[in-house]
């Protein structure tokens, strides 16, 4: 069978037909990086040629490549162009805000980011669940969606005041938009302004992020990104975390993104005392699930989505990434005492046991208060509350034997049970 996306809502179809004048007019503006930078500067009260306000130029090359892909490769719908343009402008405006804030308060860069925990398993292996459970420890803090999309100024220390921050609704509207444009997205992955958010959103300020290729098919940018130096993205991410904690009590950050598998050496250089939680699952379950997620995300932006091509890319990407992970472990560059391994079956059925295992492997103490909070979170977030995520392995155009052969080293190394062929 072949992958068939759910129909888009009628209002989205109307926009894509051109029946929403102001949106259409904005969407049709070219993805010209110089014009976008000038517009972002003007929006922030700067002269349109004040490039210094955007910081160093490390972001310029990937921004240019991304804009080229959006204009000439991604085959975007009107909605896809509108959402992509809005995202770029936000990223550029927040770059200006970050640079301004750090110039006004340079002591922010002395904020300690000690021993953060990164949940870094492959996609669809339980990273979101594990991240959410670990974040319940009162000694921990996980960034919310609005904090990573719009981190400046730092959140207010009073939780009641913080809960009324207008950035919550602003970021929430952007995060929820793909879920409203692509029917079925909510059942795959839920987003909102107050939910915990992946690290990608902060790394995107450098335009060095898988967020770009997850949303749109931009092969020229993708080719560049596959070998790009990710240290600028991680350095900016660290600055974002320092800003976010500037007015709050310092707690250990609990962070998450499967994309870190592709950038571990750079991550470990910038966060040199980081701890890692790695979730594991049968690759024949990983590939169709993550491919369904990315295909649906791209369907929110374009009428042209090649499910099988996305699947083949993920086959190579995650086989290489997981082989590299094994190399880092075996070489000692990823120390065993800073790494916890957790099977997906435990994350999905015994969440508290999985958390206890993480604390034990990392040599951390799990307090009674933390365990109570974790149990309450597990009870409040049952799986499948927004419907079933439906996908078929056959849509990949691959065989299970082919996938297992490509991931043989990974499967053997972590003793991962694989499903029957039936």
């Amino acid at each position: 069978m072949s992958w068939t996306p759910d129909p888009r809502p009628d209002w989205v179809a109307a926009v894509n037909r051109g029946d929403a004048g102001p949106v259409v007019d904005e969407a049709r503006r070219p993805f010209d990086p110089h014009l976008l930078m000038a517009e972002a500067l003007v929006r922030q009260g700067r002269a349109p040629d004040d490039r210094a306000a955007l910081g160093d130029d490390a972001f310029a090359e990937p921004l240019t490549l991304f804009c080229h892909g959006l204009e000439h490769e991604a085959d975007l719908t009107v909605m896809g162009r509108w959402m992509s343009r809005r995202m770029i402008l936000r990223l550029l405006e927040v770059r200006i805000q970050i640079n301004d804030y750090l110039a006004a308060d340079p002591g922010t860069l002395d904020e300690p980011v000690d021993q953060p925990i990164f949940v870094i398993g492959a996609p669809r292996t339980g990273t979101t669940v594990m991240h959410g459970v670990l974040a319940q420890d009162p000694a921990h803090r996980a960034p919310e969606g609005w904090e990573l999309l719009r981190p400046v100024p730092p959140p207010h220390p009073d939780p009641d005041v913080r809960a009324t921050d207008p950035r919550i609704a602003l970021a929430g509207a952007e995060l929820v938009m793909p879920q409203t444009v692509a029917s079925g997205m909510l059942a795959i992955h839920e987003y909102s302004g107050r939910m915990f958010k992946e690290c990608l959103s902060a790394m995107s300020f450098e335009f060095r992020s898988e967020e770009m290729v997850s949303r749109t098919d931009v092969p020229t940018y993708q080719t560049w990104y596959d070998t790009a130096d990710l240290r600028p993205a991680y350095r900016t991410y660290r600055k974002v975390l320092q800003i976010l904690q500037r007015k709050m009590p310092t707690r250990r950050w609990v962070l998450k993104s499967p994309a870190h598998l592709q950038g571990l050496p750079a991550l470990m250089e910038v966060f040199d005392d980081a701890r890692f939680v790695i979730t594991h699952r049968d690759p024949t379950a990983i590939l169709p699930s993550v491919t369904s997620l990315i295909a649906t995300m791209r369907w929110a932006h374009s009428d042209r989505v090649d499910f099988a091509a996305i699947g083949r890319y993920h086959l190579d990407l995650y086989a290489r990434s997981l082989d590299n992970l094994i190399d880092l472990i075996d070489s000692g560059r990823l120390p065993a005492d800073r790494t916890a391994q957790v099977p997906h079956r435990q994350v999905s059925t015994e969440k508290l046991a999985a958390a206890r295992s993480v604390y034990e492997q990392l040599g951390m103490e799990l307090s009674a208060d933390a365990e109570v909070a974790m149990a309450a979170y597990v009870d409040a977030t049952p799986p499948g509350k927004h419907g079933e995520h439906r996908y078929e392995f056959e849509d990949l155009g691959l065989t299970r034997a082919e996938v297992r052969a490509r991931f043989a080293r990974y499967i053997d190394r972590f003793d991962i049970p694989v499903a029957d062929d039936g």
Side-chain angles (χ1 to χ4, degrees), residues 83-147:
M83 289 190 292
S84 298
R85 193 174 189 281
R86 287 292 181 101
M87 180 184 75
I88 291 173
L89 285 172
R90 173 181 57 78
L91 294 173
L92 291 171
E93 288 187 64
V94 175
R95 277 189 66 88
I96 298 167
Q97 294 167 3
I98 289 172
N99 291 327
D100 285 349
Y101 185 86
L102 294 177
D105 184 9
T108 302
L109 296 177
D110 296 325
E111 285 282 332
V113 182
D114 292 333
Q115 300 183 359
I117 298 173
F118 286 87
V119 182
I120 64 168
R124 320 307 292 172
T125 61
T127 55
T128 299
V129 172
M130 197 74 260
H131 182 224
V133 172
L134 295 176
Q136 303 312 306
D137 188 329
H140 291 167
R141 180 180 176 189
E144 295 181 358
W146 70 278
E147 294 179 310

